């Protein structure tokens, strides 16, 4: 599966099969998480066979068998939320390539239970992960002309970047970003508000993965 295929296939999945993650899959996920922690100075942690994060949602039948999750934690610092979002996109798409499904959760989880697993760092959210009962649905999306502009004739890499940026998950599916291009320079804006930094990281990752980092530079 290519990275573009992973972006196309990844959708929010809340209900999972009662299947234990194989040891080799857990090993691969932990290796990816370790690499992201090292590169971005984060403290992401994978928890398996642990339903405490979503116990209340399971009781309300909002989710099912949500017993594996990644804690998105780090020490507060400038730009850390964007790094959390960027790394979240990376691990979710990697999980998709491994045949797994995910759900990025910023608020609807048991914060006290999760904090106990990562007591010395700030928790910014969690990612539920497992084998979905279904593959999720395409979220409603804005049109590309609503979120971008390019000075002159837009090259294909820019068009591709915007197309796949619109596939990124954002808080409440707001897609409150705007991407402007000129030559090989790209300027990114995101409306101020809750989850602004995290959403920025999520969307930028998708844009980079489709456009190709060798084709442009961020302003």
């Amino acid at each position: 599966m290519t990275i573009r295929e992973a972006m196309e296939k990844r959708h929010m999945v809340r209900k999972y099969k009662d299947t234990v993650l194989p040891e080799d899959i857990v090993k691969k996920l932990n290796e990816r998480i370790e690499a992201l922690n090292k590169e971005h100075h984060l403290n992401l942690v994978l928890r398996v066979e642990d339903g405490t994060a979503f116990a209340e949602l399971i009781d309300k039948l909002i989710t099912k068998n949500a017993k594996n999750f990644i804690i998105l934690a780090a020490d507060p610092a400038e730009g850390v939320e964007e790094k959390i979002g960027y790394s979240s996109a990376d691990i979710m798409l990697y999980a998709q390539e491994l045949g797994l499904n995910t759900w990025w959760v910023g608020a609807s989880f048991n914060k006290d239970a999760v904090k106990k697993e990562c007591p010395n760092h700030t928790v910014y959210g969690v990612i539920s992960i497992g084998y979905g009962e279904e593959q999720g649905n395409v979220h409603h999306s804005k049109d590309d002309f609503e979120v971008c502009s390019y000075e002159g004739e837009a090259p294909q890499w820019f068009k591709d970047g915007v197309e796949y940026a619109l596939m990124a998950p954002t808080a409440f599916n707001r897609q409150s970003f705007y991407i402007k291009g000129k030559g090989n320079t790209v300027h990114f804006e995101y409306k101020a508000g809750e989850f602004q930094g995290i959403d920025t990281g999520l969307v930028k990752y998708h844009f980079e993965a489709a456009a190709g980092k060798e084709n442009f530079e961020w302003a």
Side-chain angles (χ1 to χ4, degrees):
M1 183 184 298
T2 67
I3 188 65
R4 290 193 181 191
E5 289 172 334
M7 288 189 282
E8 291 164 4
K9 293 178 182 297
R10 186 218 59 81
H11 306 299
M12 179 182 68
V13 172
R14 293 178 175 176
K15 296 186 178 182
Y16 303 89
K17 298 176 182 177
D18 188 16
T19 303
V20 176
L21 296 184
E23 289 185 9
D24 64 318
I25 294 294
V26 172
K27 182 175 183 291
K28 289 178 180 179
L29 289 171
N30 276 323
E31 287 174 347
R32 189 72 165 220
I33 287 169
E34 183 180 356
L36 290 169
N37 283 339
K38 184 176 181 180
E39 180 179 359
H40 300 291
H41 306 290
L42 305 176
N43 301 93
L44 313 186
V45 178
L46 173 65
R47 296 288 299 168
V48 296
E49 294 300 305
D50 180 353
T52 56
F54 302 107
E56 185 175 339
L57 296 183
I58 292 173
D59 290 343
K60 293 180 178 179
L61 304 180
I62 294 173
T63 187
K64 179 181 178 183
N65 293 322
K67 56 184 179 178
N68 310 296
F69 59 94
I70 298 168
I71 302 172
L72 304 171
D75 295 326
E78 184 178 355
V80 71
E81 291 187 6
E82 183 174 329
K83 292 178 181 179
I84 288 284
Y86 193 90
S87 298
S88 295
D90 183 277
I91 197 65
M92 286 192 294
L93 293 170
Y94 182 62
Q96 193 73 39
E97 293 173 351
L98 294 175
L100 299 166
N101 303 100
T102 54
W103 172 28
W104 202 103
V105 189
S108 302
F109 64 94
N110 188 324
K111 296 179 179 60
D112 291 335
V114 171
K115 184 63 178 176
K116 288 179 182 178
E117 303 296 338
C118 205
N120 300 317
H121 308 286
T122 299
V123 175
Y124 293 89
V126 297
I127 296 172
S128 178
I129 186 168
Y131 294 100
E133 285 193 345
E134 40 80 39
Q135 296 301 303
N137 300 309
V138 178
H139 63 248
H140 174 74
S141 180
K142 292 181 178 179
D143 292 318
D144 55 3
F145 65 81
E146 297 180 84
V147 299
C148 77
S149 62
Y150 189 90
E151 189 171 318
E153 183 176 351
Q156 190 60 46
W157 62 260
F158 183 82
K159 295 177 182 178
D160 290 344
V162 173
E163 177 185 354
Y164 284 84
L166 284 165
M167 296 180 192
T170 57
F172 312 108
N173 196 31
R174 287 174 178 161
Q175 298 183 316
S176 300
F177 62 88
Y178 198 83
I179 301 171
K180 294 188 290 187
K182 180 181 179 181
N184 68 338
T185 300
V186 177
H187 181 75
F188 186 92
E189 299 174 356
Y190 203 98
K191 185 178 180 180
E194 189 178 15
F195 298 110
Q196 174 189 0
I198 290 171
D199 283 355
T200 293
L202 286 161
V203 176
K204 278 188 170 182
Y205 187 99
H206 279 242
F207 184 93
E208 286 183 3
K213 289 190 286 188
E214 69 278 6
N215 291 318
F216 77 98
E217 59 183 21
W218 294 112

